[in-house]
DNA sequence: GCAAAAGTGTTCACACTACACCCATGT
DNA sequence: ACATGGGTGTAGTGTGAACACTTTTGC
């Protein structure tokens, strides 16, 4: 039995598309590279896989060390294999995307110097490597998945109003959705549970607060956007 | 700038789930391993990635050398990373699935000794490694994708009857679909073009032959199964 | 004429859209 | 009283599921 590691293998990395939702804007976390190649260019956070590490562990490592985050929604996206995608040599990137609530990691904002920044998805700068392609694929995945699967709650607080959820969907999908029909669909699908609590401090009528229904039996939800 | 290949990296392989449709049955190609580990067990065909090779190229290499096939529909499925998935050491597998028409590769049947065989998806034997998991994921992907995307034509001949297409969908999805409603949906979505030719040799009325509409503008198709 | 598969049409119910109206709260 | 956002209801339309009938062919 041969030892594979004796052979030359391509390097294996994970790149992360970290989505955050804040002030009615969907954003992505980017790092400003401080070394070649692509020095001073914005890129997705990433790291190389260690020999005994799972993707999950590596993702956590990236999120913790570079971004001070933990315990977030993660999903494998796609594996990018273009032989010339990294000028340093052959690097295969297993892209993942994460959904986080930026508010929860405000503590880590100290680390957030000029070299780590949120960028609205509508205003992504030029990216190094093939990261633009990765980002685009991640956004598409999120947009299609949110139409039939309860993803997106990870971007909000524990409790949220129907309006906030509605705005999130409109923001991610980039379309207008009828407020009342949306509400009915969410309720019919039993995506959320009414906590009975109402949010105080509003200028108008106090909206009801909902939380995500974690014990969702079967998924009836289907949004049908263009 | 460091040379990555100097470091120890996990080995990188591609495993293939090759689907074929024949005599109203969806099948998968399996290889009988003739070496350890999992000697004499059935496994998915696969191979290790070479340093300058793309996934696409590697898939072609596997299909050609092991199976005598070429020019097939291919799609990346998922990347499997469990550290213990291969007893020989750390191997990451980038799974792909392929759709082929077995009839077209009947020539290669000479190669098809006891060690390469089609297995109906309903009768998959115990598989080595984590290949059962890979197979399951591939089938699920195919089942969901066929409901909204014109995949599946690759499994049929160039020209086919509506009944054949209908049977294919029922077979892949494992449900009954109303013949007439199905036909209307396929036609409305402009998935197919009526060639005007009718198939001879039938015992009954001669069915019209269709071919896949390759110039499909936008995809209206949506099947909505269970 | 009969059986069996292929082609076409029709009804009906429900789901989704597009609305309107009332309620609660601050100014 | 009014403006603003929140909560609920309803009428109409269109799509899709369920179903029936006619046509073509071999025996």
């Amino acid at each position: 039995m041969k030892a594979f590691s004796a052979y030359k293998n391509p390097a294996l990395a994970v790149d992360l598309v970290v989505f955050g939702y804040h002030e009615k804007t969907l954003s992505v976390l980017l790092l400003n590279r401080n070394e070649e190649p692509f020095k001073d260019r914005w890129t997705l956070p990433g790291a190389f896989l260690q020999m005994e590490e799972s993707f999950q562990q590596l993702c956590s490592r990236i999120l913790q060390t570079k971004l001070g985050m933990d315990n977030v929604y993660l999903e494998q996206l796609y594996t990018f294999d273009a032989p010339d995608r990294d000028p340093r040599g052959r690097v295969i990137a297993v892209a993942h995307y994460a959904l986080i609530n930026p508010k929860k990691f405000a503590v880590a904002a100290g680390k957030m110097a000029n070299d780590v920044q949120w960028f609205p998805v509508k205003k992504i700068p030029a990216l190094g490597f093939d990261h633009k392609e990765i980002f685009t694929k991640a956004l598409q995945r999120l947009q299609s998945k949110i139409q039939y699967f309860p993803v997106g709650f990870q971007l909000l607080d524990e409790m949220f109003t129907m309006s906030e959820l509605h705005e999130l969907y409109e923001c991610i999908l980039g379309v207008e959705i009828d407020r009342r029909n949306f509400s009915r669909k969410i309720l019919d699908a039993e995506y959320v549970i009414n906590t009975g609590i109402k949010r105080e401090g509003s200028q108008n009528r106090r909206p009801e607060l909902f939380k995500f229904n974690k014990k969702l039996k079967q998924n009836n939800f289907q949004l049908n956007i263009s």
Side-chain angles (χ1 to χ4, degrees), chain A:
Chain A
M1 215 180 289
K2 293 164 187 172
F4 293 133
S5 45
Y7 292 104
K8 270 195 177 181
N9 290 310
L12 207 52
V14 160
D15 286 328
L16 279 183
V17 182
V18 182
F19 288 107
Y21 180 70
H22 187 50
E23 295 186 348
K24 305 184 184 181
T25 308
L26 184 69
S27 298
V28 171
L29 258 190
L30 298 177
L31 262 72
N32 203 337
R33 277 183 72 83
N34 52 18
E35 55 186 345
E36 293 292 346
F38 298 106
K39 184 161 157 59
D40 299 325
R41 280 284 273 284
W42 294 97
T43 55
L44 297 172
F48 288 97
L49 187 73
Q50 291 180 357
M51 208 55 188
E52 317 258 313
E53 203 174 28
S54 70
F55 291 159
Q56 185 80 38
Q57 288 167 333
L58 174 50
C59 287
S60 294
R61 187 156 65 82
I62 297 170
L63 288 164
Q64 279 173 14
T65 61
K66 296 202 179 180
L67 313 169
M69 299 167 179
D70 199 355
N71 200 21
V72 306
Y73 177 86
L74 261 179
E75 188 180 321
Q76 191 188 116
L77 181 64
Y78 196 78
T79 300
F80 293 82
D81 69 323
D84 60 348
R85 59 176 296 283
D86 192 318
R88 293 168 294 185
R90 189 76 199 277
V91 182
I92 307 292
V94 184
H96 288 63
Y97 74 94
L99 303 178
I100 70 146
N101 181 349
K103 217 186 281 182
K104 289 189 185 168
F105 301 100
V107 196
K111 286 192 177 184
M112 303 265 180
N114 293 333
D115 57 342
V116 182
Q117 244 178 256
W118 288 106
F119 285 85
V121 293
K122 303 265 182 198
K123 295 171 187 170
I124 302 294
L127 301 182
F129 305 101
D130 56 353
H131 287 186
K132 185 81 178 194
E133 189 188 344
I134 298 178
F135 158 74
T136 302
K137 194 148 191 150
L139 183 57
Q140 286 170 349
R141 174 78 64 93
L142 178 59
Q143 287 175 334
S144 57
K145 187 139 192 173
I146 203 174
Q147 292 185 50
Y148 65 89
F149 200 79
V151 73
F153 296 101
Q154 294 84 1
L155 295 162
L156 298 173
D157 292 346
E158 188 72 19
M159 293 200 283
F160 48 85
T161 67
M162 190 57 81
S163 293
E164 286 167 350
L165 189 61
H166 178 235
E167 272 162 4
L168 173 67
Y169 273 69
E170 284 193 334
C171 176
I172 289 178
L173 292 170
V175 293
E176 288 211 337
I177 306 169
D178 184 275
R179 178 175 70 90
R180 297 148 291 189
N181 294 334
F182 176 80
S183 172
R184 184 151 359 110
K185 273 195 174 176
I186 293 287
L187 259 19
D188 286 353
E190 297 184 322
Y191 261 29
V192 295
I193 296 166
N194 193 331
T195 62
I197 308 169
K198 290 180 197 294
R199 168 164 298 162
E200 302 294 325
S202 159
Q203 294 232 287
N204 311 311
R205 179 172 179 171
R206 273 81 212 253
E208 292 169 332
L209 285 169
F210 297 89
K211 61 180 180 181
F212 173 50
N213 179 8
K214 285 168 185 164
K215 307 181 210 62
L216 188 64
K217 295 169 205 105
Q218 55 174 3
N219 189 356
N220 294 318
F221 191 70
Q222 183 68 46
L223 207 55
N224 298 326
I225 296 299
S226 56

